[in-house]
Amino acid sequence: MVTLAEVAQHAGVSASTVSYVLSGKRSISATTRLRVEQSIRELGYHPNAGARALASSKSNIVALMIPLRTDMYVPVMMEIAIAVATTARTHGYDVLLLTGEEGPDAVRRVTGSGLADAMILMDVQLDDERLPLLRGTDQPSVLIGLPADTSGLTCVDLDWNATGALCVEHLAKLGHRDVAVIGEAPAVYERHTGFAERTLDGLRSRARELDLRVLHRPCEGGYDAMAATLARVLDERPGTTGFVVQNESAVEPLLALLRQQGRAVPEDVSVVAICPDQVATQASVRLTSVAIPAQEMGRHAVERLVAKLDGRGSDDVVLIAPELTVRASTGPAPTAP
Amino acid sequence: MVTLAEVAQHAGVSASTVSYVLSGKRSISATTRLRVEQSIRELGYHPNAGARALASSKSNIVALMIPLRTDMYVPVMMEIAIAVATTARTHGYDVLLLTGEEGPDAVRRVTGSGLADAMILMDVQLDDERLPLLRGTDQPSVLIGLPADTSGLTCVDLDWNATGALCVEHLAKLGHRDVAVIGEAPAVYERHTGFAERTLDGLRSRARELDLRVLHRPCEGGYDAMAATLARVLDERPGTTGFVVQNESAVEPLLALLRQQGRAVPEDVSVVAICPDQVATQASVRLTSVAIPAQEMGRHAVERLVAKLDGRGSDDVVLIAPELTVRASTGPAPTAP
DNA sequence: ATAGGTTGTCGAAGCGCTTCGACAGCAATC
DNA sequence: GATTGCTGTCGAAGCGCTTCGACAACCTAT
């Protein structure tokens, strides 16, 4: 392993000079800089991460806590993780992957050991047990997702309230009066995951204003679960003509079932999905949808975090405005016979 | 931040004693150990990762390189990543997430800087440009996936050859004579991703032995692409009664299309999928499938890696035997009218 | 009693880097 | 010609830990 000292010797300068060439924290004459850079290249020098971290108290690593469970939005999580990793890299940071498994202990471990300079938390629950720890440390952090109390925290999320409202508005405008919401798996609501509840709140309150009737049913993904859910919905509200689907693994089953029952989309029934664009365009009917901007969320989170690490930036909430794209799964409500 | 020295002072012992309590590398009397452990707890001490890495030349971090692109098996990748992270943790390692973006440079950076003690590579291509670097370093590594030349490398993968063979065997046993393979997106083959080619090889050579006709068509995921592919297949081989689908985002579209064309599954047409069990059980027809054992692969990879780090373990290839589960999407070939 | 082992603890060196203060050299100012 | 102010470089201290050799203290076997 090549060390700083060896580079210094090779270039005929002192170790500190090499360090300053690397960090740019003091001015170095062009000739020395070039000589040092040349030596670095020739020897194939890479600074030792541990030594650097020890001396500077900075690891240049950000931790990313992802959920352990895979009961929702797996591709979204993945896309966020990838966006976080690539964005972090452009700012000179590497990403440490933590699963939810350790829970709050992971936060303690990371802050305590100086393993990472900052953290990004995903899968935030409304009353997340990691939050007190984050508030109690001076290590910067960003949440992807919104807890109930955001004071003293930086959060990035899609504006789920607005998303719910947007979906129901679109259906209202098309004349639908009875709307069913196919939600995430029950477990997601039970653990009070912010986005699911917020979507529903936003949707319901807008529906009230617009005088629509809303029936919400959580739904595990998959064909069988969707079949059972649909049967119950149509039994309870036979006049339902609009669907909002938040569980992406229920989308395709729903379409198949409707088709099978002779209900045409969008002639008889309209469907709005909340899902990544890829899902919306690959479905058997091109879906009118509100996109989940996974990449943007990941990128934003890192950029807020880097800002904080640089001393710029402050605690606040970044809500990304939802956008609804009209495709082929929604149309005017059928006129009563 | 609490340091070792502070713990030592608090416990009335020397720093080295505390260190030995922590590492267990020398025997310590029960009384001192207890006293030290007590102090550690009271002060809330966490060893500093950087200092540790510097002094011991071990970071206790393993790097995981995941593919940047998301054109295949996203949930599988995610599951592997999570399995790697949790398994690594049980062995005292953390996981650094690298995306393919940097390519071979990432390998250089990580080995050069001592950021990680070892690495796991995913999305391995048959002739991967990272391999020479891995062979040229003494840093342990494990590949998830099989390159063309595995000499000097440790690899973990599903036995894709056997997987292909298994699928076609199952169809043959049911009396099907004409089989179509719906493959991954063309790009996957173009970059010579091992698993796709191997599956095909295994399938073709077994088909030859069993005297079946095979038609292979790569296919982007989604409904439209699948529709076009299916039309071409049925045009070229109208007698096709068996399908093997490797692209999980083509499965549901295929089922929908067949249904739409009045071809019943499994009465008229049989479908075998290669996909995670979750996909197979959630599809509109419960799919006969060969499971992709994502968790097992991740776990295995970490365990091989840890073995190497401990000086046990050697270079070799672990192939996981495929298992075919019969569900409702395959049945006897229809007898010719 | 003495030599030879064990066991438990300590002191000190050193891992490779950053960073601070010092200072030589030189140009501009009075 | 002395003073001030830069600029560019160096030496040394120190970050918090691991680890090696030393060595008391005690136990066994002669």
PDB file of all heavy atoms in Angstrom, chain C residues 1-13:
ATOM      1  P    DA C   1      12.236 -21.496  52.804  1.00  0.00           P
ATOM      2  OP1  DA C   1      13.211 -21.514  53.901  1.00  0.00           O
ATOM      3  OP2  DA C   1      11.276 -20.377  52.686  1.00  0.00           O
ATOM      4  O5'  DA C   1      12.958 -21.575  51.417  1.00  0.00           O
ATOM      5  C5'  DA C   1      14.233 -21.025  51.202  1.00  0.00           C
ATOM      6  C4'  DA C   1      14.778 -21.664  49.944  1.00  0.00           C
ATOM      7  O4'  DA C   1      14.042 -22.852  49.578  1.00  0.00           O
ATOM      8  C3'  DA C   1      14.716 -20.719  48.738  1.00  0.00           C
ATOM      9  O3'  DA C   1      15.942 -20.761  48.044  1.00  0.00           O
ATOM     10  C2'  DA C   1      13.552 -21.252  47.911  1.00  0.00           C
ATOM     11  C1'  DA C   1      13.582 -22.749  48.220  1.00  0.00           C
ATOM     12  N9   DA C   1      12.247 -23.374  48.176  1.00  0.00           N
ATOM     13  C8   DA C   1      11.169 -23.101  48.963  1.00  0.00           C
ATOM     14  N7   DA C   1      10.128 -23.835  48.696  1.00  0.00           N
ATOM     15  C5   DA C   1      10.531 -24.651  47.651  1.00  0.00           C
ATOM     16  C6   DA C   1       9.897 -25.659  46.902  1.00  0.00           C
ATOM     17  N6   DA C   1       8.634 -26.030  47.118  1.00  0.00           N
ATOM     18  N1   DA C   1      10.594 -26.277  45.928  1.00  0.00           N
ATOM     19  C2   DA C   1      11.861 -25.909  45.728  1.00  0.00           C
ATOM     20  N3   DA C   1      12.577 -24.995  46.374  1.00  0.00           N
ATOM     21  C4   DA C   1      11.848 -24.384  47.317  1.00  0.00           C
ATOM     22  P    DT C   2      16.253 -19.519  47.073  1.00  0.00           P
ATOM     23  OP1  DT C   2      17.653 -19.162  47.300  1.00  0.00           O
ATOM     24  OP2  DT C   2      15.173 -18.520  47.212  1.00  0.00           O
ATOM     25  O5'  DT C   2      16.126 -20.200  45.643  1.00  0.00           O
ATOM     26  C5'  DT C   2      16.913 -21.366  45.348  1.00  0.00           C
ATOM     27  C4'  DT C   2      16.416 -21.960  44.042  1.00  0.00           C
ATOM     28  O4'  DT C   2      15.128 -22.594  44.247  1.00  0.00           O
ATOM     29  C3'  DT C   2      16.215 -20.935  42.920  1.00  0.00           C
ATOM     30  O3'  DT C   2      16.806 -21.408  41.726  1.00  0.00           O
ATOM     31  C2'  DT C   2      14.699 -20.835  42.779  1.00  0.00           C
ATOM     32  C1'  DT C   2      14.254 -22.234  43.202  1.00  0.00           C
ATOM     33  N1   DT C   2      12.846 -22.314  43.719  1.00  0.00           N
ATOM     34  C2   DT C   2      12.034 -23.325  43.267  1.00  0.00           C
ATOM     35  O2   DT C   2      12.390 -24.160  42.478  1.00  0.00           O
ATOM     36  N3   DT C   2      10.767 -23.312  43.804  1.00  0.00           N
ATOM     37  C4   DT C   2      10.241 -22.413  44.714  1.00  0.00           C
ATOM     38  O4   DT C   2       9.098 -22.519  45.127  1.00  0.00           O
ATOM     39  C5   DT C   2      11.149 -21.373  45.135  1.00  0.00           C
ATOM     40  C7   DT C   2      10.688 -20.341  46.112  1.00  0.00           C
ATOM     41  C6   DT C   2      12.400 -21.356  44.631  1.00  0.00           C
ATOM     42  P    DA C   3      17.201 -20.342  40.582  1.00  0.00           P
ATOM     43  OP1  DA C   3      18.680 -20.361  40.420  1.00  0.00           O
ATOM     44  OP2  DA C   3      16.502 -19.069  40.850  1.00  0.00           O
ATOM     45  O5'  DA C   3      16.544 -21.024  39.300  1.00  0.00           O
ATOM     46  C5'  DA C   3      16.863 -22.382  38.999  1.00  0.00           C
ATOM     47  C4'  DA C   3      15.689 -23.031  38.280  1.00  0.00           C
ATOM     48  O4'  DA C   3      14.528 -22.987  39.155  1.00  0.00           O
ATOM     49  C3'  DA C   3      15.277 -22.331  36.965  1.00  0.00           C
ATOM     50  O3'  DA C   3      15.199 -23.298  35.946  1.00  0.00           O
ATOM     51  C2'  DA C   3      13.926 -21.694  37.284  1.00  0.00           C
ATOM     52  C1'  DA C   3      13.389 -22.593  38.400  1.00  0.00           C
ATOM     53  N9   DA C   3      12.479 -21.925  39.334  1.00  0.00           N
ATOM     54  C8   DA C   3      12.731 -20.802  40.076  1.00  0.00           C
ATOM     55  N7   DA C   3      11.721 -20.440  40.848  1.00  0.00           N
ATOM     56  C5   DA C   3      10.745 -21.389  40.587  1.00  0.00           C
ATOM     57  C6   DA C   3       9.444 -21.569  41.076  1.00  0.00           C
ATOM     58  N6   DA C   3       8.891 -20.760  41.973  1.00  0.00           N
ATOM     59  N1   DA C   3       8.723 -22.611  40.608  1.00  0.00           N
ATOM     60  C2   DA C   3       9.300 -23.426  39.703  1.00  0.00           C
ATOM     61  N3   DA C   3      10.516 -23.365  39.174  1.00  0.00           N
ATOM     62  C4   DA C   3      11.191 -22.319  39.651  1.00  0.00           C
ATOM     63  P    DG C   4      14.999 -22.791  34.446  1.00  0.00           P
ATOM     64  OP1  DG C   4      15.679 -23.785  33.571  1.00  0.00           O
ATOM     65  OP2  DG C   4      15.308 -21.351  34.356  1.00  0.00           O
ATOM     66  O5'  DG C   4      13.414 -22.960  34.239  1.00  0.00           O
ATOM     67  C5'  DG C   4      12.832 -24.258  34.379  1.00  0.00           C
ATOM     68  C4'  DG C   4      11.332 -24.131  34.255  1.00  0.00           C
ATOM     69  O4'  DG C   4      10.825 -23.443  35.424  1.00  0.00           O
ATOM     70  C3'  DG C   4      10.862 -23.316  33.026  1.00  0.00           C
ATOM     71  O3'  DG C   4       9.900 -24.073  32.316  1.00  0.00           O
ATOM     72  C2'  DG C   4      10.260 -22.051  33.629  1.00  0.00           C
ATOM     73  C1'  DG C   4       9.834 -22.509  35.022  1.00  0.00           C
ATOM     74  N9   DG C   4       9.816 -21.441  36.021  1.00  0.00           N
ATOM     75  C8   DG C   4      10.807 -20.514  36.258  1.00  0.00           C
ATOM     76  N7   DG C   4      10.507 -19.686  37.234  1.00  0.00           N
ATOM     77  C5   DG C   4       9.244 -20.094  37.653  1.00  0.00           C
ATOM     78  C6   DG C   4       8.415 -19.564  38.670  1.00  0.00           C
ATOM     79  O6   DG C   4       8.624 -18.621  39.432  1.00  0.00           O
ATOM     80  N1   DG C   4       7.214 -20.267  38.763  1.00  0.00           N
ATOM     81  C2   DG C   4       6.879 -21.345  37.979  1.00  0.00           C
ATOM     82  N2   DG C   4       5.689 -21.896  38.212  1.00  0.00           N
ATOM     83  N3   DG C   4       7.646 -21.848  37.011  1.00  0.00           N
ATOM     84  C4   DG C   4       8.808 -21.171  36.909  1.00  0.00           C
ATOM     85  P    DG C   5       9.563 -23.688  30.841  1.00  0.00           P
ATOM     86  OP1  DG C   5       9.764 -24.875  29.978  1.00  0.00           O
ATOM     87  OP2  DG C   5      10.232 -22.401  30.502  1.00  0.00           O
ATOM     88  O5'  DG C   5       8.009 -23.418  30.939  1.00  0.00           O
ATOM     89  C5'  DG C   5       7.518 -22.730  32.092  1.00  0.00           C
ATOM     90  C4'  DG C   5       6.112 -23.205  32.349  1.00  0.00           C
ATOM     91  O4'  DG C   5       5.749 -22.766  33.652  1.00  0.00           O
ATOM     92  C3'  DG C   5       5.105 -22.565  31.387  1.00  0.00           C
ATOM     93  O3'  DG C   5       3.935 -23.361  31.269  1.00  0.00           O
ATOM     94  C2'  DG C   5       4.775 -21.256  32.087  1.00  0.00           C
ATOM     95  C1'  DG C   5       4.971 -21.576  33.570  1.00  0.00           C
ATOM     96  N9   DG C   5       5.706 -20.500  34.255  1.00  0.00           N
ATOM     97  C8   DG C   5       6.969 -20.026  33.969  1.00  0.00           C
ATOM     98  N7   DG C   5       7.339 -19.041  34.757  1.00  0.00           N
ATOM     99  C5   DG C   5       6.256 -18.862  35.614  1.00  0.00           C
ATOM    100  C6   DG C   5       6.076 -17.947  36.676  1.00  0.00           C
ATOM    101  O6   DG C   5       6.845 -17.082  37.080  1.00  0.00           O
ATOM    102  N1   DG C   5       4.823 -18.107  37.274  1.00  0.00           N
ATOM    103  C2   DG C   5       3.893 -19.034  36.904  1.00  0.00           C
ATOM    104  N2   DG C   5       2.752 -19.039  37.585  1.00  0.00           N
ATOM    105  N3   DG C   5       4.050 -19.909  35.912  1.00  0.00           N
ATOM    106  C4   DG C   5       5.252 -19.757  35.311  1.00  0.00           C
ATOM    107  P    DT C   6       2.925 -23.146  30.099  1.00  0.00           P
ATOM    108  OP1  DT C   6       2.528 -24.457  29.572  1.00  0.00           O
ATOM    109  OP2  DT C   6       3.489 -22.113  29.176  1.00  0.00           O
ATOM    110  O5'  DT C   6       1.658 -22.535  30.830  1.00  0.00           O
ATOM    111  C5'  DT C   6       1.904 -21.490  31.750  1.00  0.00           C
ATOM    112  C4'  DT C   6       0.661 -21.214  32.553  1.00  0.00           C
ATOM    113  O4'  DT C   6       1.083 -20.410  33.652  1.00  0.00           O
ATOM    114  C3'  DT C   6      -0.376 -20.388  31.796  1.00  0.00           C
ATOM    115  O3'  DT C   6      -1.667 -20.648  32.334  1.00  0.00           O
ATOM    116  C2'  DT C   6       0.077 -18.979  32.046  1.00  0.00           C
ATOM    117  C1'  DT C   6       0.695 -19.058  33.465  1.00  0.00           C
ATOM    118  N1   DT C   6       1.914 -18.192  33.634  1.00  0.00           N
ATOM    119  C2   DT C   6       1.947 -17.307  34.686  1.00  0.00           C
ATOM    120  O2   DT C   6       1.058 -17.191  35.503  1.00  0.00           O
ATOM    121  N3   DT C   6       3.103 -16.548  34.749  1.00  0.00           N
ATOM    122  C4   DT C   6       4.182 -16.598  33.896  1.00  0.00           C
ATOM    123  O4   DT C   6       5.150 -15.862  34.070  1.00  0.00           O
ATOM    124  C5   DT C   6       4.078 -17.554  32.807  1.00  0.00           C
ATOM    125  C7   DT C   6       5.179 -17.673  31.824  1.00  0.00           C
ATOM    126  C6   DT C   6       2.948 -18.297  32.726  1.00  0.00           C
ATOM    127  P    DT C   7      -2.946 -20.014  31.581  1.00  0.00           P
ATOM    128  OP1  DT C   7      -4.096 -20.878  31.907  1.00  0.00           O
ATOM    129  OP2  DT C   7      -2.596 -19.704  30.178  1.00  0.00           O
ATOM    130  O5'  DT C   7      -3.132 -18.637  32.353  1.00  0.00           O
ATOM    131  C5'  DT C   7      -3.118 -18.643  33.785  1.00  0.00           C
ATOM    132  C4'  DT C   7      -3.355 -17.226  34.294  1.00  0.00           C
ATOM    133  O4'  DT C   7      -2.096 -16.519  34.397  1.00  0.00           O
ATOM    134  C3'  DT C   7      -4.250 -16.368  33.396  1.00  0.00           C
ATOM    135  O3'  DT C   7      -5.190 -15.714  34.238  1.00  0.00           O
ATOM    136  C2'  DT C   7      -3.287 -15.408  32.717  1.00  0.00           C
ATOM    137  C1'  DT C   7      -2.210 -15.248  33.785  1.00  0.00           C
ATOM    138  N1   DT C   7      -0.836 -14.895  33.301  1.00  0.00           N
ATOM    139  C2   DT C   7      -0.080 -14.017  34.043  1.00  0.00           C
ATOM    140  O2   DT C   7      -0.464 -13.508  35.067  1.00  0.00           O
ATOM    141  N3   DT C   7       1.172 -13.765  33.529  1.00  0.00           N
ATOM    142  C4   DT C   7       1.725 -14.288  32.366  1.00  0.00           C
ATOM    143  O4   DT C   7       2.859 -13.984  32.016  1.00  0.00           O
ATOM    144  C5   DT C   7       0.869 -15.195  31.640  1.00  0.00           C
ATOM    145  C7   DT C   7       1.364 -15.816  30.367  1.00  0.00           C
ATOM    146  C6   DT C   7      -0.363 -15.458  32.131  1.00  0.00           C
ATOM    147  P    DG C   8      -6.340 -14.824  33.657  1.00  0.00           P
ATOM    148  OP1  DG C   8      -7.522 -14.978  34.515  1.00  0.00           O
ATOM    149  OP2  DG C   8      -6.421 -15.022  32.182  1.00  0.00           O
ATOM    150  O5'  DG C   8      -5.733 -13.382  33.932  1.00  0.00           O
ATOM    151  C5'  DG C   8      -5.584 -12.945  35.298  1.00  0.00           C
ATOM    152  C4'  DG C   8      -4.973 -11.563  35.299  1.00  0.00           C
ATOM    153  O4'  DG C   8      -3.648 -11.623  34.711  1.00  0.00           O
ATOM    154  C3'  DG C   8      -5.762 -10.524  34.490  1.00  0.00           C
ATOM    155  O3'  DG C   8      -5.881  -9.367  35.312  1.00  0.00           O
ATOM    156  C2'  DG C   8      -4.882 -10.259  33.266  1.00  0.00           C
ATOM    157  C1'  DG C   8      -3.490 -10.541  33.806  1.00  0.00           C
ATOM    158  N9   DG C   8      -2.494 -10.963  32.818  1.00  0.00           N
ATOM    159  C8   DG C   8      -2.660 -11.820  31.759  1.00  0.00           C
ATOM    160  N7   DG C   8      -1.564 -12.009  31.063  1.00  0.00           N
ATOM    161  C5   DG C   8      -0.612 -11.209  31.706  1.00  0.00           C
ATOM    162  C6   DG C   8       0.747 -10.990  31.400  1.00  0.00           C
ATOM    163  O6   DG C   8       1.425 -11.484  30.503  1.00  0.00           O
ATOM    164  N1   DG C   8       1.343 -10.109  32.310  1.00  0.00           N
ATOM    165  C2   DG C   8       0.685  -9.524  33.368  1.00  0.00           C
ATOM    166  N2   DG C   8       1.406  -8.708  34.128  1.00  0.00           N
ATOM    167  N3   DG C   8      -0.595  -9.709  33.653  1.00  0.00           N
ATOM    168  C4   DG C   8      -1.178 -10.565  32.783  1.00  0.00           C
ATOM    169  P    DT C   9      -6.782  -8.161  34.858  1.00  0.00           P
ATOM    170  OP1  DT C   9      -7.452  -7.641  36.057  1.00  0.00           O
ATOM    171  OP2  DT C   9      -7.567  -8.530  33.663  1.00  0.00           O
ATOM    172  O5'  DT C   9      -5.688  -7.107  34.430  1.00  0.00           O
ATOM    173  C5'  DT C   9      -4.851  -6.540  35.451  1.00  0.00           C
ATOM    174  C4'  DT C   9      -3.667  -5.842  34.828  1.00  0.00           C
ATOM    175  O4'  DT C   9      -2.937  -6.744  33.976  1.00  0.00           O
ATOM    176  C3'  DT C   9      -4.002  -4.666  33.931  1.00  0.00           C
ATOM    177  O3'  DT C   9      -3.860  -3.472  34.705  1.00  0.00           O
ATOM    178  C2'  DT C   9      -2.967  -4.731  32.802  1.00  0.00           C
ATOM    179  C1'  DT C   9      -2.115  -5.940  33.156  1.00  0.00           C
ATOM    180  N1   DT C   9      -1.694  -6.752  31.990  1.00  0.00           N
ATOM    181  C2   DT C   9      -0.376  -6.700  31.585  1.00  0.00           C
ATOM    182  O2   DT C   9       0.475  -6.015  32.124  1.00  0.00           O
ATOM    183  N3   DT C   9      -0.068  -7.479  30.501  1.00  0.00           N
ATOM    184  C4   DT C   9      -0.940  -8.297  29.795  1.00  0.00           C
ATOM    185  O4   DT C   9      -0.546  -8.956  28.838  1.00  0.00           O
ATOM    186  C5   DT C   9      -2.301  -8.310  30.274  1.00  0.00           C
ATOM    187  C7   DT C   9      -3.337  -9.138  29.587  1.00  0.00           C
ATOM    188  C6   DT C   9      -2.614  -7.542  31.344  1.00  0.00           C
ATOM    189  P    DC C  10      -4.092  -2.044  34.061  1.00  0.00           P
ATOM    190  OP1  DC C  10      -4.384  -1.096  35.157  1.00  0.00           O
ATOM    191  OP2  DC C  10      -5.014  -2.187  32.920  1.00  0.00           O
ATOM    192  O5'  DC C  10      -2.637  -1.711  33.510  1.00  0.00           O
ATOM    193  C5'  DC C  10      -1.522  -1.785  34.399  1.00  0.00           C
ATOM    194  C4'  DC C  10      -0.248  -1.484  33.631  1.00  0.00           C
ATOM    195  O4'  DC C  10       0.028  -2.557  32.703  1.00  0.00           O
ATOM    196  C3'  DC C  10      -0.315  -0.206  32.796  1.00  0.00           C
ATOM    197  O3'  DC C  10       0.742   0.644  33.182  1.00  0.00           O
ATOM    198  C2'  DC C  10      -0.202  -0.667  31.356  1.00  0.00           C
ATOM    199  C1'  DC C  10       0.492  -2.014  31.482  1.00  0.00           C
ATOM    200  N1   DC C  10       0.121  -2.985  30.417  1.00  0.00           N
ATOM    201  C2   DC C  10       1.108  -3.471  29.548  1.00  0.00           C
ATOM    202  O2   DC C  10       2.279  -3.063  29.667  1.00  0.00           O
ATOM    203  N3   DC C  10       0.770  -4.359  28.589  1.00  0.00           N
ATOM    204  C4   DC C  10      -0.499  -4.767  28.488  1.00  0.00           C
ATOM    205  N4   DC C  10      -0.795  -5.666  27.539  1.00  0.00           N
ATOM    206  C5   DC C  10      -1.515  -4.296  29.365  1.00  0.00           C
ATOM    207  C6   DC C  10      -1.165  -3.415  30.298  1.00  0.00           C
ATOM    208  P    DG C  11       0.685   2.188  32.897  1.00  0.00           P
ATOM    209  OP1  DG C  11       1.078   2.897  34.128  1.00  0.00           O
ATOM    210  OP2  DG C  11      -0.592   2.487  32.233  1.00  0.00           O
ATOM    211  O5'  DG C  11       1.875   2.349  31.835  1.00  0.00           O
ATOM    212  C5'  DG C  11       3.088   1.644  32.051  1.00  0.00           C
ATOM    213  C4'  DG C  11       3.997   1.752  30.844  1.00  0.00           C
ATOM    214  O4'  DG C  11       3.655   0.718  29.880  1.00  0.00           O
ATOM    215  C3'  DG C  11       3.936   3.081  30.086  1.00  0.00           C
ATOM    216  O3'  DG C  11       5.272   3.440  29.775  1.00  0.00           O
ATOM    217  C2'  DG C  11       3.072   2.770  28.858  1.00  0.00           C
ATOM    218  C1'  DG C  11       3.356   1.288  28.615  1.00  0.00           C
ATOM    219  N9   DG C  11       2.235   0.513  28.085  1.00  0.00           N
ATOM    220  C8   DG C  11       0.909   0.617  28.461  1.00  0.00           C
ATOM    221  N7   DG C  11       0.141  -0.236  27.849  1.00  0.00           N
ATOM    222  C5   DG C  11       0.987  -0.946  27.018  1.00  0.00           C
ATOM    223  C6   DG C  11       0.702  -1.997  26.097  1.00  0.00           C
ATOM    224  O6   DG C  11      -0.380  -2.527  25.855  1.00  0.00           O
ATOM    225  N1   DG C  11       1.857  -2.427  25.440  1.00  0.00           N
ATOM    226  C2   DG C  11       3.111  -1.920  25.651  1.00  0.00           C
ATOM    227  N2   DG C  11       4.096  -2.458  24.940  1.00  0.00           N
ATOM    228  N3   DG C  11       3.391  -0.932  26.503  1.00  0.00           N
ATOM    229  C4   DG C  11       2.287  -0.489  27.148  1.00  0.00           C
ATOM    230  P    DA C  12       5.581   4.772  28.960  1.00  0.00           P
ATOM    231  OP1  DA C  12       6.915   5.221  29.427  1.00  0.00           O
ATOM    232  OP2  DA C  12       4.422   5.691  29.002  1.00  0.00           O
ATOM    233  O5'  DA C  12       5.735   4.191  27.487  1.00  0.00           O
ATOM    234  C5'  DA C  12       6.376   2.916  27.294  1.00  0.00           C
ATOM    235  C4'  DA C  12       6.527   2.669  25.809  1.00  0.00           C
ATOM    236  O4'  DA C  12       5.378   1.924  25.331  1.00  0.00           O
ATOM    237  C3'  DA C  12       6.576   3.934  24.952  1.00  0.00           C
ATOM    238  O3'  DA C  12       7.400   3.659  23.843  1.00  0.00           O
ATOM    239  C2'  DA C  12       5.126   4.138  24.554  1.00  0.00           C
ATOM    240  C1'  DA C  12       4.677   2.695  24.353  1.00  0.00           C
ATOM    241  N9   DA C  12       3.257   2.440  24.555  1.00  0.00           N
ATOM    242  C8   DA C  12       2.387   3.132  25.361  1.00  0.00           C
ATOM    243  N7   DA C  12       1.153   2.655  25.342  1.00  0.00           N
ATOM    244  C5   DA C  12       1.233   1.575  24.465  1.00  0.00           C
ATOM    245  C6   DA C  12       0.275   0.659  24.018  1.00  0.00           C
ATOM    246  N6   DA C  12      -1.002   0.673  24.400  1.00  0.00           N
ATOM    247  N1   DA C  12       0.690  -0.287  23.138  1.00  0.00           N
ATOM    248  C2   DA C  12       1.978  -0.301  22.765  1.00  0.00           C
ATOM    249  N3   DA C  12       2.974   0.512  23.116  1.00  0.00           N
ATOM    250  C4   DA C  12       2.520   1.440  23.977  1.00  0.00           C
ATOM    251  P    DA C  13       7.877   4.801  22.879  1.00  0.00           P
ATOM    252  OP1  DA C  13       9.310   5.014  23.164  1.00  0.00           O
ATOM    253  OP2  DA C  13       6.928   5.938  22.931  1.00  0.00           O
ATOM    254  O5'  DA C  13       7.744   4.083  21.463  1.00  0.00           O
ATOM    255  C5'  DA C  13       7.923   2.659  21.389  1.00  0.00           C
ATOM    256  C4'  DA C  13       7.185   2.133  20.176  1.00  0.00           C
ATOM    257  O4'  DA C  13       5.784   1.931  20.510  1.00  0.00           O
ATOM    258  C3'  DA C  13       7.198   3.072  18.962  1.00  0.00           C
ATOM    259  O3'  DA C  13       7.408   2.293  17.815  1.00  0.00           O
ATOM    260  C2'  DA C  13       5.825   3.729  19.014  1.00  0.00           C
ATOM    261  C1'  DA C  13       4.974   2.585  19.544  1.00  0.00           C
ATOM    262  N9   DA C  13       3.733   2.965  20.205  1.00  0.00           N
ATOM    263  C8   DA C  13       3.515   4.031  21.036  1.00  0.00           C
ATOM    264  N7   DA C  13       2.284   4.110  21.498  1.00  0.00           N
ATOM    265  C5   DA C  13       1.655   3.016  20.924  1.00  0.00           C
ATOM    266  C6   DA C  13       0.334   2.534  21.015  1.00  0.00           C
ATOM    267  N6   DA C  13      -0.612   3.108  21.753  1.00  0.00           N
ATOM    268  N1   DA C  13       0.024   1.412  20.320  1.00  0.00           N
ATOM    269  C2   DA C  13       0.990   0.835  19.586  1.00  0.00           C
ATOM    270  N3   DA C  13       2.267   1.198  19.425  1.00  0.00           N
ATOM    271  C4   DA C  13       2.533   2.302  20.124  1.00  0.00           C
TER     272       DA C  13
END
